[in-house]
Amino acid sequence: MLLNSFRSPFSAIRLSLLLAAVTALFLLAGCDNEPQGPVLKIGYMNCNNEQETMQRFAPLTRYLSEQAGVRFEAVPVDTQDFEGRFKAGEFALTHTNSLLYIVLQHNADLRLVAADKRGHFGARSAGTLIARKDSGIKTLEDIRGKRLVFGPAMAPTGYLAQYDLMLNAGIDPETDLAYYAIPSGSFKHEKVLYGLYFGAFDVAAAPALDLELMAADGKINVDDFVVLAQSPVIPYCTFGSSADLDPAILAKVRKALLGLKPQDTVEIDGERVKVLQSAWVEGFEELLDSDYDIIRDMARRTNMPPYQTF
Amino acid sequence: MTLDRFDRFHGLLLLLVAGGLVLLLAVAESGGGRSAAGVDKAMEQALDYQARVAFVQKLYGPVEDLRRDGQLQQALLKLDELERRYPGEAHGYILRGEILGEMGVLAEAVASYVAALRLNGDYVDARSPLSRQTEIRQLVDDGLRILGGQARSHPENLSLAAAVKNVHYLQSRLAGGCE
């Protein structure tokens, strides 16, 4: 019967057309995997510049879109603009440092999603105060009357932790140092290290993670400096979500972040790239909001947002 | 050609060494039996251990010095340097686990011990000169109490579950479980 039907030229044409249509349908289904629906924005805290931020996080954003079945868009945001733009409802998700997370959580009901893992302490890092080994500065007490350089003012491990360290040791940075400065422009953490290395400052407030990364890159030598003091370890960069994000989407995003493996890739501009490597992250960890209490206590002691009083 | 006293002494020394080698070969050839082979193997193992202990003490000496001085962050950075040179060396992971434990970063400390044991099981062997059985037992107790407690309070938290899984891995290795 079947063989007989093939003998008819019209049946053969019909069958060929049907096969072609089915093949085209499969091909189209394979190509068109872009999620449908409204675009949800992810605000990424700008570290050095917008171009770098987009390069880092475009692949991660694409990955989250694919995994959650939602159209996400990456938006670089300057630190000082974050709160206003988040309160205005611009972002469904945020990626910020941990101090900004507690500010947005306190002032705008941001919800915790997951924290970046990178370096020795996983989803945490620490602030250090360092001096050149040949400076003669050996202890924290020795920094009185010296020139100190901080990282950016809203940096948890480049400013907040070190300011708190000094206050805890009975050193008031406002009165007990010769002076302190905060570098301007991009790459502030690296400028801090180079400012110390080339003698513009006696003491530097360096994130432990940056010491680790710059030593790994051969930019600094471990034997050239001494760590005068180190803060407790505190949570690192953090993904948060707005309170009105659909819980089902939030669950998919969290699951996707926690499940990310070093070998996972996405296609960006015709090129297949590794998501974690592009984002400079080793993975993501699910912290508890109470893990951030240590930063809240630091912010209270140092009169920093969200607890700042005048 | 004349031979001075120095040459004669070296000639004699060479003859003695050659004689010793011939004697050793003869003993081996005569098949000193299984016990001799066993003794050789045990001696070889003992020499290996001695060499390894001397190697790690020399290699990681600067890290231990920094730890003794309380320079824990610098000790971690020094460990990174060594890891870049000797990426497969388990001892670095053991030291990193100890330092992270001292700093109170428990989940990462446990993960570092797990990495070490996956590379070298000697550290759970009580007979090994590099044994860390006591320390690992303490870490397992702390891990079960602290991380286990947190995981019970937050059963939905996948990261805590993963950390507890690492603690259980150490526990199983202490109990004699293999890879």
Side-chain angles (χ1 to χ4, degrees):
Chain A
M1 182 81 177
L2 187 69
L3 284 172
N4 284 341
S5 71
F6 272 106
R7 288 193 187 114
S8 153
F10 289 111
S11 295
I13 289 167
R14 272 211 307 261
L15 189 65
S16 303
L17 281 172
L18 185 67
L19 278 173
V22 169
T23 309
L25 193 67
F26 272 113
L27 284 173
L28 280 172
C31 291
D32 188 20
N33 55 3
E34 274 289 304
Q36 301 301 306
V39 172
L40 300 181
K41 290 183 179 174
I42 306 178
Y44 289 98
M45 195 178 84
N46 224 352
C47 286
N48 292 320
N49 56 62
E50 288 196 1
Q51 190 188 10
E52 182 190 86
T53 303
M54 288 304 285
Q55 268 179 348
R56 280 180 68 183
F57 296 115
L60 180 59
T61 307
R62 170 69 57 85
Y63 166 82
L64 290 176
S65 294
E66 288 177 7
Q67 297 296 313
V70 175
R71 288 202 294 166
F72 285 121
E73 179 189 339
V75 181
V77 190
D78 287 334
T79 310
Q80 67 274 12
D81 299 335
F82 226 121
E83 190 176 344
R85 291 176 70 174
F86 182 72
K87 278 181 170 171
E90 192 177 342
F91 307 119
L93 293 166
T94 60
H95 182 266
T96 65
N97 71 35
S98 48
L99 178 57
L100 204 46
Y101 162 74
I102 66 163
V103 171
L104 296 177
Q105 189 266 345
H106 186 269
N107 295 340
D109 201 17
L110 185 73
R111 309 288 166 89
L112 179 61
V113 180
D116 297 13
K117 283 174 74 172
R118 201 178 177 199
H120 291 143
F121 307 120
R124 294 171 173 83
S125 187
T128 69
L129 284 167
I130 66 170
R132 280 178 59 121
K133 201 165 255 178
D134 57 7
S135 68
I137 303 170
K138 291 193 172 87
T139 67
L140 194 53
E141 197 55 33
D142 296 340
I143 72 171
R144 290 178 192 275
K146 298 294 192 294
R147 303 163 300 166
L148 184 144
V149 59
F150 280 114
M154 283 294 282
T157 57
Y159 180 90
L160 172 72
Q162 288 89 345
Y163 205 103
D164 188 52
L165 255 178
M166 285 185 268
L167 291 180
N168 287 342
I171 299 167
D172 184 348
E174 306 300 331
T175 55
D176 294 336
L177 300 170
Y179 71 89
Y180 70 76
I182 295 173
S184 60
S186 295
F187 300 99
K188 291 188 179 75
H189 294 300
E190 293 206 357
K191 285 178 181 173
V192 163
L193 268 296
Y194 289 127
L196 180 81
Y197 259 56
F198 294 111
F201 295 92
D202 306 307
V203 184
L209 181 62
D210 285 64
L211 293 179
E212 194 180 327
L213 296 174
M214 289 178 75
D217 288 346
K219 292 175 178 173
I220 55 171
N221 189 333
V222 179
D223 299 323
D224 288 344
F225 59 86
V226 57
V227 178
L228 305 168
Q230 180 156 335
S231 77
V233 290
I234 57 178
Y236 188 55
C237 289
T238 299
F239 263 107
S241 86
S242 76
D244 54 8
L245 179 66
D246 179 347
I249 296 175
L250 174 59
K252 284 181 188 171
V253 166
R254 181 179 283 129
K255 189 178 171 204
L257 287 171
L258 297 175
L260 244 176
K261 301 277 182 298
Q263 62 271 22
D264 289 333
T265 61
V266 289
E267 195 167 307
I268 293 281
D269 299 329
E271 191 184 350
R272 200 143 268 284
V273 294
K274 289 185 173 171
V275 178
L276 284 176
Q277 192 181 39
S278 297
W280 306 352
V281 174
E282 291 165 12
F284 291 92
E285 188 169 329
E286 193 174 0
L287 294 181
L288 306 174
D289 183 69
S290 58
D291 290 329
Y292 292 78
D293 286 348
I294 189 166
I295 304 179
R296 293 183 176 103
D297 292 340
M298 283 180 176
R300 285 190 185 96
R301 286 193 294 263
T302 54
N303 196 29
M304 289 277 288
Y307 310 109
Q308 196 170 34
T309 55
F310 296 97
Chain B
M1 192 174 79
T2 56
L3 294 173
D4 61 16
R5 262 199 331 186
F6 188 70
D7 289 335
R8 278 200 294 275
F9 172 71
H10 273 94
L12 187 63
L13 205 62
L14 271 172
L15 275 173
L16 277 172
V17 170
L21 277 173
V22 170
L23 195 64
L24 274 175
L25 278 172
V27 169
E29 288 279 315
S30 72
R34 281 174 176 231
S35 62
V39 168
D40 284 351
K41 199 166 180 186
M43 190 176 284
E44 205 173 278
Q45 199 177 28
L47 286 171
D48 275 354
Y49 267 141
Q50 272 185 17
R52 177 158 162 71
V53 170
F55 171 73
V56 295
Q57 278 174 349
K58 185 166 187 282
L59 193 63
Y60 294 100
V63 177
E64 295 286 15
D65 291 344
L66 288 165
R67 273 180 80 187
R68 266 191 298 277
D69 293 346
Q71 295 281 328
L72 298 184
Q73 181 58 41
Q74 249 159 326
L76 285 175
L77 294 171
K78 203 76 192 165
L79 272 176
D80 288 348
E81 264 185 20
L82 293 169
E83 192 185 320
R84 284 190 280 276
R85 281 167 59 200
Y86 303 93
E89 175 51 59
H91 199 74
Y93 291 100
I94 289 286
L95 293 181
R96 177 170 294 127
E98 289 176 356
I99 294 168
L100 291 173
E102 282 175 52
M103 290 174 132
V105 194
L106 187 58
E108 301 302 320
V110 170
S112 200
Y113 272 94
V114 167
L117 291 191
R118 286 192 199 283
L119 287 168
N120 189 335
D122 282 355
Y123 292 96
V124 278
D125 183 352
R127 294 162 303 172
S128 164
L130 293 168
S131 175
R132 291 293 201 278
Q133 209 182 59
T134 311
E135 291 83 351
I136 295 171
R137 214 175 286 284
Q138 181 63 50
L139 196 65
V140 167
D141 289 346
D142 292 345
L144 290 175
R145 185 169 46 82
I146 298 168
L147 297 170
Q150 287 178 339
R152 278 191 295 281
S153 307
H154 301 277
E156 77 295 343
N157 190 303
L158 299 177
S159 300
L160 283 170
V164 172
K165 198 174 165 191
N166 275 341
V167 176
H168 287 153
Y169 174 82
L170 294 183
Q171 198 176 24
S172 79
R173 294 301 299 265
L174 282 173
C178 302
E179 242 319 284

